[in-house]
Coordinates of all heavy atoms in Angstrom, one line a residue:
A175 N 4.5 23.4 -17.1 CA 5.2 23.7 -18.4 C 4.2 24.0 -19.5 O 4.4 25.0 -20.3 CB 6.1 22.5 -18.8
T176 N 3.1 23.3 -19.6 CA 2.1 23.5 -20.7 C 1.5 24.8 -20.5 O 1.3 25.6 -21.4 CB 1.0 22.4 -20.6 OG1 1.7 21.1 -20.8 CG2 -0.1 22.6 -21.6
F177 N 1.0 25.2 -19.3 CA 0.4 26.5 -19.0 C 1.4 27.6 -19.2 O 1.0 28.7 -19.8 CB -0.2 26.6 -17.6 CG -1.5 25.7 -17.5 CD1 -1.6 24.9 -16.5 CD2 -2.5 25.8 -18.5 CE1 -2.7 24.1 -16.3 CE2 -3.6 25.1 -18.3 CZ -3.8 24.2 -17.3
T178 N 2.6 27.5 -19.0 CA 3.7 28.5 -19.2 C 3.7 28.8 -20.7 O 3.8 29.9 -21.2 CB 5.0 28.1 -18.6 OG1 4.8 28.0 -17.2 CG2 6.0 29.3 -18.9
T179 N 3.8 27.7 -21.5 CA 3.9 27.8 -22.9 C 2.6 28.4 -23.5 O 2.7 29.3 -24.4 CB 4.1 26.4 -23.6 OG1 5.3 25.8 -23.0 CG2 4.3 26.5 -25.0
L180 N 1.5 28.0 -23.0 CA 0.2 28.6 -23.5 C 0.1 30.1 -23.2 O -0.3 30.8 -24.0 CB -0.9 27.8 -22.8 CG -2.4 28.3 -23.2 CD1 -2.6 28.1 -24.7 CD2 -3.4 27.5 -22.4
D181 N 0.6 30.5 -22.0 CA 0.5 31.9 -21.6 C 1.5 32.7 -22.6 O 1.1 33.8 -23.0 CB 0.9 32.1 -20.2 CG 0.8 33.5 -19.7 OD1 -0.3 34.1 -19.9 OD2 1.8 34.1 -19.3
A182 N 2.6 32.2 -22.8 CA 3.5 32.9 -23.7 C 3.0 33.0 -25.1 O 3.1 34.0 -25.8 CB 4.9 32.2 -23.8
A183 N 2.3 31.9 -25.6 CA 1.7 32.0 -26.9 C 0.5 33.0 -27.0 O 0.4 33.7 -28.0 CB 1.2 30.6 -27.3
Q184 N -0.3 33.0 -25.9 CA -1.4 34.0 -25.9 C -0.8 35.5 -25.9 O -1.4 36.3 -26.5 CB -2.2 33.7 -24.7 CG -3.2 32.6 -24.8 CD -4.1 32.4 -23.6 OE1 -3.6 32.6 -22.4 NE2 -5.3 32.0 -23.8
R185 N 0.2 35.6 -25.1 CA 0.8 36.9 -25.0 C 1.3 37.4 -26.4 O 1.2 38.5 -26.9 CB 1.9 36.9 -24.0 CG 2.6 38.3 -23.7 CD 3.6 38.2 -22.6 NE 3.2 37.4 -21.5 CZ 2.6 37.9 -20.4 NH1 2.2 39.1 -20.4 NH2 2.2 37.1 -19.5
A186 N 2.1 36.5 -27.1 CA 2.6 36.8 -28.4 C 1.5 37.1 -29.4 O 1.6 38.0 -30.2 CB 3.5 35.6 -28.9
Y187 N 0.4 36.3 -29.3 CA -0.7 36.5 -30.3 C -1.4 37.9 -30.0 O -1.7 38.6 -30.9 CB -1.7 35.4 -30.1 CG -3.0 35.7 -30.9 CD1 -3.0 35.5 -32.3 CD2 -4.1 36.2 -30.2 CE1 -4.2 35.8 -33.0 CE2 -5.3 36.5 -31.0 CZ -5.3 36.3 -32.3 OH -6.4 36.6 -33.0
A188 N -1.6 38.2 -28.7 CA -2.2 39.5 -28.4 C -1.4 40.7 -28.8 O -1.9 41.7 -29.3 CB -2.5 39.5 -26.9
I189 N -0.1 40.6 -28.6 CA 0.8 41.7 -29.0 C 0.7 41.8 -30.5 O 0.6 42.9 -31.0 CB 2.3 41.4 -28.5 CG1 2.3 41.6 -27.0 CG2 3.2 42.3 -29.2 CD1 3.6 41.1 -26.4
G190 N 0.9 40.7 -31.2 CA 0.8 40.8 -32.7 C -0.5 41.3 -33.2 O -0.6 42.2 -34.1
A191 N -1.6 40.8 -32.7 CA -2.9 41.2 -33.1 C -3.2 42.7 -32.8 O -3.7 43.5 -33.6 CB -4.0 40.4 -32.4
G192 N -2.7 43.2 -31.6 CA -2.9 44.6 -31.2 C -2.1 45.5 -32.1 O -2.6 46.5 -32.6
R193 N -0.9 45.1 -32.5 CA -0.1 45.9 -33.4 C -0.6 45.9 -34.8 O -0.7 46.9 -35.4 CB 1.4 45.4 -33.4 CG 2.2 45.8 -32.2 CD 3.6 45.6 -32.4 NE 4.3 45.9 -31.2 CZ 5.4 45.3 -30.8 NH1 5.9 44.4 -31.5 NH2 6.0 45.7 -29.7
A194 N -1.1 44.8 -35.2 CA -1.7 44.7 -36.6 C -2.9 45.5 -36.7 O -3.1 46.3 -37.7 CB -2.0 43.2 -36.9
E195 N -3.8 45.5 -35.7 CA -5.0 46.3 -35.7 C -4.7 47.8 -35.7 O -5.3 48.5 -36.4 CB -5.9 45.9 -34.5 CG -7.2 46.7 -34.4 CD -8.0 46.4 -33.2 OE1 -7.7 45.5 -32.4 OE2 -9.0 47.1 -33.0
S196 N -3.7 48.2 -34.8 CA -3.3 49.5 -34.7 C -2.7 50.0 -36.0 O -3.1 51.2 -36.4 CB -2.3 49.7 -33.6 OG -1.9 51.0 -33.5
Q197 N -1.9 49.2 -36.6 CA -1.3 49.6 -37.9 C -2.4 49.8 -39.0 O -2.4 50.7 -39.8 CB -0.3 48.7 -38.3 CG 1.0 48.8 -37.5 CD 2.0 47.8 -37.8 OE1 1.8 46.8 -38.7 NE2 3.2 47.9 -37.3
Q198 N -3.3 48.8 -39.1 CA -4.3 48.7 -40.1 C -5.2 49.9 -39.9 O -5.5 50.7 -40.9 CB -5.1 47.5 -40.0 CG -6.2 47.4 -41.1 CD -6.9 46.0 -41.0 OE1 -6.9 45.3 -40.0 NE2 -7.7 45.8 -42.0
N199 N -5.7 50.3 -38.7 CA -6.6 51.4 -38.5 C -5.9 52.7 -38.8 O -6.5 53.6 -39.3 CB -7.0 51.4 -37.0 CG -8.0 50.2 -36.7 OD1 -8.6 49.7 -37.6 ND2 -8.2 50.0 -35.4
G200 N -4.6 52.8 -38.4 CA -3.8 54.0 -38.7 C -3.7 54.2 -40.2 O -3.9 55.4 -40.7
R201 N -3.4 53.2 -40.9 CA -3.3 53.3 -42.4 C -4.6 53.7 -43.0 O -4.7 54.6 -43.9 CB -2.9 52.0 -43.0 CG -1.4 51.7 -42.8 CD -1.0 50.5 -43.7 NE 0.3 50.1 -43.2 CZ 0.5 48.9 -42.6 NH1 -0.5 48.0 -42.4 NH2 1.7 48.6 -42.2
V202 N -5.7 53.1 -42.6 CA -7.1 53.5 -43.1 C -7.3 55.0 -42.8 O -7.8 55.7 -43.7 CB -8.1 52.5 -42.6 CG1 -9.5 53.1 -42.8 CG2 -8.0 51.2 -43.1
A203 N -7.1 55.4 -41.6 CA -7.4 56.8 -41.2 C -6.6 57.8 -42.0 O -7.1 58.7 -42.5 CB -7.2 57.0 -39.7
L204 N -5.3 57.4 -42.2 CA -4.4 58.3 -42.9 C -4.8 58.4 -44.3 O -4.8 59.4 -45.0 CB -3.0 57.8 -42.8 CG -1.9 58.8 -42.8 CD1 -2.1 59.9 -41.7 CD2 -0.5 58.2 -42.6
E205 N -5.2 57.3 -45.0 CA -5.6 57.2 -46.4 C -6.9 58.0 -46.5 O -7.0 58.8 -47.5 CB -5.7 55.8 -46.9 CG -6.2 55.7 -48.3 CD -5.4 56.4 -49.3 OE1 -4.1 56.5 -49.1 OE2 -5.9 57.0 -50.3
R206 N -7.8 57.9 -45.6 CA -9.1 58.7 -45.8 C -8.8 60.1 -45.7 O -9.4 60.9 -46.3 CB -10.0 58.1 -44.7 CG -11.4 58.6 -44.9 CD -12.4 57.7 -44.1 NE -13.8 58.1 -44.3 CZ -14.8 57.7 -43.7 NH1 -14.6 56.9 -42.6 NH2 -15.9 58.2 -43.9
L207 N -8.0 60.5 -44.7 CA -7.7 62.0 -44.5 C -7.0 62.5 -45.7 O -7.3 63.5 -46.2 CB -6.8 62.1 -43.2 CG -6.7 63.6 -42.8 CD1 -6.5 63.6 -41.3 CD2 -5.5 64.3 -43.4
A208 N -6.0 61.7 -46.3 CA -5.3 62.1 -47.5 C -6.3 62.3 -48.7 O -6.1 63.2 -49.4 CB -4.2 61.2 -47.7
R209 N -7.2 61.5 -48.8 CA -8.2 61.5 -49.8 C -9.0 62.8 -49.7 O -9.2 63.5 -50.7 CB -9.1 60.3 -49.9 CG -10.0 60.3 -51.0 CD -10.9 59.1 -51.1 NE -10.5 57.9 -50.3 CZ -11.2 57.4 -49.4 NH1 -12.4 57.7 -49.0 NH2 -10.7 56.3 -48.8
D210 N -9.4 63.1 -48.5 CA -10.2 64.4 -48.3 C -9.4 65.6 -48.6 O -9.8 66.5 -49.2 CB -10.6 64.5 -46.8 CG -11.8 63.5 -46.5 OD1 -12.4 63.0 -47.4 OD2 -12.1 63.3 -45.3
V211 N -8.1 65.5 -48.3 CA -7.2 66.7 -48.6 C -7.0 66.8 -50.1 O -7.1 67.9 -50.7 CB -5.8 66.6 -48.0 CG1 -4.8 67.5 -48.5 CG2 -5.9 66.7 -46.4
R212 N -6.8 65.7 -50.8 CA -6.6 65.7 -52.3 C -7.9 66.3 -52.9 O -7.8 66.9 -54.0 CB -6.3 64.4 -52.8 CG -4.9 63.9 -52.4 CD -4.5 62.6 -53.0 NE -3.4 62.0 -52.4 CZ -3.4 61.0 -51.6 NH1 -4.6 60.3 -51.4 NH2 -2.3 60.6 -51.0

Side-chain angles (χ1 to χ4, degrees):
T176 301
F177 286 132
T178 301
T179 304
L180 180 62
D181 185 56
Q184 283 181 323
R185 187 179 313 274
Y187 173 78
I189 290 169
R193 281 192 184 150
E195 179 181 355
S196 180
Q197 288 176 352
Q198 182 179 15
N199 289 344
R201 284 188 194 113
V202 168
L204 211 56
E205 178 55 37
R206 193 163 183 191
L207 191 150
R209 185 178 339 122
D210 286 346
V211 169
R212 288 186 198 107

